[in-house]
Amino acid sequence: SGGPDSMLTAYLIYGRFIRQGYDTGNLFFLHCNHKVRPGNTEDEQFIRSHFEGTQLIVCTRTGKGKTSEEELRKWRYLEFNKRTATYGIDRLTFGHNLTDRIETTFLNLLRGAKLNGFIAIQQEGNHHLLPGVKVIRPILEMTKAEVMHICKEHKIPYRKDPTNTEATTSMRNKLRNKVLPPLYKLSHKQTATTNTFIESMKHIYRQID
Protein backbone atom coordinates (compact mmCIF):
# COMPACT_ATOMS: atom_id res chain seq x y z
CA SER A 1 0.00 0.00 0.00
CA GLY A 2 2.94 2.31 0.59
CA GLY A 3 2.13 2.59 4.30
CA PRO A 4 4.74 1.97 7.03
CA ASP A 5 3.73 -1.68 7.58
CA SER A 6 3.99 -2.73 3.94
CA MET A 7 7.13 -0.67 3.33
CA LEU A 8 8.93 -2.19 6.32
CA THR A 9 7.86 -5.67 5.21
CA ALA A 10 9.07 -5.00 1.67
CA TYR A 11 12.45 -3.78 2.98
CA LEU A 12 12.82 -6.87 5.18
CA ILE A 13 11.94 -9.32 2.40
CA TYR A 14 14.11 -7.61 -0.21
CA GLY A 15 17.00 -7.39 2.25
CA ARG A 16 16.72 -11.09 3.02
CA PHE A 17 16.80 -11.94 -0.69
CA ILE A 18 19.96 -9.89 -1.15
CA ARG A 19 21.75 -11.18 1.98
CA GLN A 20 20.94 -14.82 1.25
CA GLY A 21 21.75 -14.54 -2.44
CA TYR A 22 18.24 -15.55 -3.50
CA ASP A 23 17.10 -14.94 -7.07
CA THR A 24 15.15 -11.65 -7.07
CA GLY A 25 13.47 -12.94 -10.23
CA ASN A 26 11.29 -14.89 -7.80
CA LEU A 27 10.29 -11.77 -5.86
CA PHE A 28 7.29 -9.65 -6.85
CA PHE A 29 5.80 -6.53 -5.27
CA LEU A 30 2.06 -6.00 -5.66
CA HIS A 31 0.27 -2.67 -5.28
CA CYS A 32 -3.52 -2.25 -5.41
CA ASN A 33 -4.87 1.17 -6.39
CA HIS A 34 -8.45 1.27 -5.10
CA LYS A 35 -9.32 4.53 -6.84
CA VAL A 36 -11.50 5.66 -3.95
CA ARG A 37 -9.69 8.88 -2.94
CA PRO A 38 -7.40 11.42 -4.66
CA GLY A 39 -4.40 10.25 -2.62
CA ASN A 40 -4.49 6.81 -4.27
CA THR A 41 -2.89 8.28 -7.40
CA GLU A 42 -0.03 9.75 -5.36
CA ASP A 43 0.34 6.43 -3.52
CA GLU A 44 0.78 4.62 -6.85
CA GLN A 45 3.29 7.20 -8.07
CA PHE A 46 5.26 6.82 -4.84
CA ILE A 47 5.29 3.02 -5.21
CA ARG A 48 6.27 3.13 -8.89
CA SER A 49 9.14 5.50 -8.13
CA HIS A 50 10.39 3.66 -5.06
CA PHE A 51 10.18 0.15 -6.55
CA GLU A 52 11.61 1.04 -9.93
CA GLY A 53 13.83 -1.81 -11.14
CA THR A 54 11.91 -4.49 -9.24
CA GLN A 55 9.15 -6.75 -10.48
CA LEU A 56 6.28 -4.46 -9.55
CA ILE A 57 2.68 -5.40 -10.34
CA VAL A 58 0.10 -2.60 -10.11
CA CYS A 59 -3.60 -3.49 -10.00
CA THR A 60 -6.07 -0.65 -10.61
CA ARG A 61 -9.75 -0.87 -9.75
CA THR A 62 -12.01 0.27 -12.57
CA GLY A 63 -15.18 0.73 -10.51
CA LYS A 64 -16.36 4.21 -9.56
CA GLY A 65 -18.27 5.69 -6.68
CA LYS A 66 -18.38 4.77 -3.00
CA THR A 67 -17.80 1.20 -1.94
CA SER A 68 -17.43 -0.63 1.37
CA GLU A 69 -14.24 -1.88 3.00
CA GLU A 70 -15.48 -5.44 2.51
CA GLU A 71 -16.05 -4.92 -1.21
CA LEU A 72 -12.56 -3.45 -1.60
CA ARG A 73 -11.12 -6.37 0.32
CA LYS A 74 -12.84 -8.87 -1.97
CA TRP A 75 -11.52 -7.01 -5.01
CA ARG A 76 -7.96 -7.11 -3.61
CA TYR A 77 -8.06 -10.83 -2.97
CA LEU A 78 -9.50 -11.46 -6.41
CA GLU A 79 -6.50 -9.60 -7.83
CA PHE A 80 -4.16 -11.59 -5.58
CA ASN A 81 -5.63 -14.81 -6.97
CA LYS A 82 -5.22 -13.65 -10.55
CA ARG A 83 -1.61 -12.58 -10.11
CA THR A 84 -0.49 -15.60 -8.12
CA ALA A 85 -1.89 -17.83 -10.87
CA THR A 86 -0.34 -15.75 -13.67
CA TYR A 87 3.16 -15.60 -12.18
CA GLY A 88 3.24 -18.95 -10.39
CA ILE A 89 3.47 -17.34 -6.95
CA ASP A 90 2.98 -19.77 -4.06
CA ARG A 91 3.61 -17.42 -1.12
CA LEU A 92 2.16 -14.02 -0.28
CA THR A 93 3.72 -11.83 2.39
CA PHE A 94 1.55 -9.27 4.17
CA GLY A 95 2.49 -6.40 6.48
CA HIS A 96 -0.08 -7.00 9.23
CA ASN A 97 1.21 -6.05 12.69
CA LEU A 98 0.23 -6.94 16.27
CA THR A 99 -2.01 -3.89 16.60
CA ASP A 100 -3.88 -5.03 13.47
CA ARG A 101 -4.28 -8.47 15.03
CA ILE A 102 -5.73 -7.09 18.26
CA GLU A 103 -8.15 -4.92 16.27
CA THR A 104 -9.24 -7.96 14.25
CA THR A 105 -9.79 -9.98 17.44
CA PHE A 106 -12.12 -7.33 18.87
CA LEU A 107 -13.84 -6.89 15.53
CA ASN A 108 -14.52 -10.63 15.37
CA LEU A 109 -15.73 -10.68 18.99
CA LEU A 110 -18.28 -7.99 18.12
CA ARG A 111 -19.44 -10.13 15.21
CA GLY A 112 -19.85 -13.20 17.42
CA ALA A 113 -16.56 -15.04 17.05
CA LYS A 114 -15.56 -18.49 18.24
CA LEU A 115 -11.98 -19.34 19.28
CA ASN A 116 -10.62 -19.14 15.72
CA GLY A 117 -12.05 -15.66 15.43
CA PHE A 118 -10.34 -14.64 18.66
CA ILE A 119 -6.98 -15.90 17.39
CA ALA A 120 -7.57 -13.89 14.21
CA ILE A 121 -4.72 -13.49 11.72
CA GLN A 122 -1.63 -15.66 12.21
CA GLN A 123 2.05 -15.45 11.21
CA GLU A 124 1.87 -18.37 8.78
CA GLY A 125 -0.96 -20.36 7.30
CA ASN A 126 -3.64 -20.57 4.65
CA HIS A 127 -6.39 -18.15 3.73
CA HIS A 128 -9.85 -19.21 2.55
CA LEU A 129 -9.74 -16.55 -0.19
CA LEU A 130 -6.29 -17.66 -1.41
CA PRO A 131 -6.46 -21.38 -2.23
CA GLY A 132 -3.11 -23.02 -2.83
CA VAL A 133 -1.11 -20.04 -1.55
CA LYS A 134 0.80 -19.84 1.73
CA VAL A 135 0.35 -16.57 3.63
CA ILE A 136 3.23 -15.14 5.69
CA ARG A 137 3.11 -12.15 8.08
CA PRO A 138 6.68 -11.53 9.34
CA ILE A 139 5.97 -8.42 11.46
CA LEU A 140 2.86 -9.74 13.22
CA GLU A 141 4.50 -9.53 16.67
CA MET A 142 5.46 -5.87 16.20
CA THR A 143 3.09 -3.17 17.39
CA LYS A 144 2.26 -0.22 15.16
CA ALA A 145 4.41 1.97 17.40
CA GLU A 146 7.38 -0.36 16.91
CA VAL A 147 6.89 -0.36 13.14
CA MET A 148 6.85 3.45 13.09
CA HIS A 149 9.95 3.59 15.27
CA ILE A 150 11.90 1.23 12.96
CA CYS A 151 10.84 3.13 9.84
CA LYS A 152 11.99 6.40 11.42
CA GLU A 153 15.26 4.94 12.70
CA HIS A 154 16.18 3.38 9.35
CA LYS A 155 14.74 6.20 7.23
CA ILE A 156 12.26 3.95 5.44
CA PRO A 157 9.87 6.23 3.50
CA TYR A 158 6.13 5.63 3.53
CA ARG A 159 2.77 7.18 2.69
CA LYS A 160 0.04 8.04 5.21
CA ASP A 161 -3.58 7.06 4.59
CA PRO A 162 -5.72 9.83 6.16
CA THR A 163 -8.81 7.59 6.21
CA ASN A 164 -7.17 5.44 8.93
CA THR A 165 -7.88 8.18 11.45
CA GLU A 166 -11.52 8.68 10.42
CA ALA A 167 -13.66 6.84 12.97
CA THR A 168 -16.75 7.02 10.77
CA THR A 169 -15.37 5.13 7.75
CA SER A 170 -15.56 1.59 9.18
CA MET A 171 -16.07 -0.48 12.32
CA ARG A 172 -12.31 -1.18 12.39
CA ASN A 173 -11.58 2.54 12.42
CA LYS A 174 -14.03 3.05 15.29
CA LEU A 175 -12.17 0.39 17.27
CA ARG A 176 -8.79 1.81 16.26
CA ASN A 177 -9.55 5.44 17.08
CA LYS A 178 -12.28 5.37 19.75
CA VAL A 179 -12.47 2.05 21.61
CA LEU A 180 -8.98 0.58 21.94
CA PRO A 181 -6.94 3.72 22.79
CA PRO A 182 -8.61 4.05 26.25
CA LEU A 183 -7.73 0.39 26.95
CA TYR A 184 -4.12 1.06 26.03
CA LYS A 185 -4.11 4.11 28.30
CA LEU A 186 -5.48 2.11 31.24
CA SER A 187 -2.54 -0.27 30.95
CA HIS A 188 0.73 0.05 32.81
CA LYS A 189 4.16 0.66 31.23
CA GLN A 190 2.85 2.92 28.50
CA THR A 191 5.83 3.35 26.19
CA ALA A 192 6.37 2.97 22.45
CA THR A 193 7.29 -0.69 22.90
CA THR A 194 5.72 -1.77 26.20
CA ASN A 195 2.07 -1.83 27.27
CA THR A 196 0.65 -4.44 29.65
CA PHE A 197 -2.60 -4.80 27.70
CA ILE A 198 -0.68 -5.44 24.47
CA GLU A 199 1.72 -7.79 26.27
CA SER A 200 -1.24 -9.75 27.67
CA MET A 201 -2.74 -10.14 24.19
CA LYS A 202 0.63 -11.24 22.83
CA HIS A 203 0.97 -13.93 25.54
CA ILE A 204 -2.59 -15.16 24.88
CA TYR A 205 -1.93 -15.45 21.14
CA ARG A 206 1.28 -17.40 21.74
CA GLN A 207 -0.40 -19.84 24.11
CA ILE A 208 -3.38 -20.46 21.83
CA ASP A 209 -1.23 -20.70 18.69
Side-chain angles (χ1 to χ4, degrees):
S1 67
D5 307 316
S6 63
M7 290 300 291
L8 173 58
T9 302
Y11 266 67
L12 290 171
I13 296 299
Y14 187 80
R16 182 173 177 81
F17 264 69
I18 298 302
R19 288 193 306 273
Q20 299 294 330
Y22 297 153
D23 182 4
T24 54
N26 294 322
L27 178 63
F28 297 83
F29 294 101
L30 179 63
H31 174 67
C32 292
N33 186 340
H34 297 94
K35 289 284 187 179
V36 293
R37 59 181 178 82
N40 288 149
T41 300
E42 284 73 26
D43 292 343
E44 181 180 327
Q45 291 171 345
F46 166 79
I47 291 291
R48 286 188 181 278
S49 173
H50 199 76
F51 288 86
E52 185 177 2
T54 70
Q55 296 187 103
L56 174 66
I57 304 167
V58 176
C59 309
T60 304
R61 194 176 71 91
T62 56
K64 295 182 179 179
K66 292 185 178 180
T67 187
S68 68
E69 288 287 330
E70 183 60 25
E71 288 172 329
L72 293 176
R73 178 172 174 269
K74 288 179 179 178
W75 171 76
R76 281 198 307 275
Y77 278 85
L78 181 62
E79 292 299 320
F80 294 158
N81 275 310
K82 289 179 183 177
R83 310 305 167 159
T84 53
T86 299
Y87 296 97
I89 298 169
D90 61 0
R91 298 183 184 187
L92 277 178
T93 306
F94 291 99
H96 296 118
N97 61 54
L98 179 62
T99 309
D100 294 327
R101 193 180 195 188
I102 293 172
E103 290 169 0
T104 301
T105 291
F106 276 79
L107 193 61
N108 288 343
L109 288 174
L110 291 173
R111 291 169 174 165
K114 296 182 181 180
L115 186 58
N116 285 343
F118 183 91
I119 296 172
I121 49 183
Q122 296 175 288
Q123 282 193 312
E124 289 189 16
N126 302 316
H127 195 288
H128 69 283
L129 293 177
L130 297 167
V133 177
K134 185 177 182 180
V135 173
I136 305 169
R137 300 179 176 92
I139 66 169
L140 193 59
E141 287 214 351
M142 294 183 190
T143 63
K144 185 71 173 184
E146 289 173 308
V147 169
M148 299 296 288
H149 174 75
I150 293 171
C151 286
K152 182 178 180 180
E153 184 178 10
H154 294 277
K155 296 181 172 59
I156 299 174
Y158 58 84
R159 294 275 299 172
K160 290 183 178 180
D161 182 353
T163 62
N164 285 337
T165 59
E166 296 174 3
T168 58
T169 57
S170 67
M171 180 65 77
R172 179 180 292 276
N173 275 12
K174 288 178 183 178
L175 283 169
R176 176 178 294 161
N177 296 292
K178 296 293 185 181
V179 178
L180 290 175
L183 290 178
Y184 297 146
K185 288 181 180 179
L186 285 172
S187 303
H188 301 292
K189 302 177 183 177
Q190 298 173 42
T191 68
T193 58
T194 306
N195 180 292
T196 50
F197 173 74
I198 290 175
E199 288 299 311
S200 293
M201 292 298 293
K202 188 184 294 186
H203 291 318
I204 291 170
Y205 288 139
R206 286 174 178 168
Q207 288 180 301
I208 296 177
D209 286 345

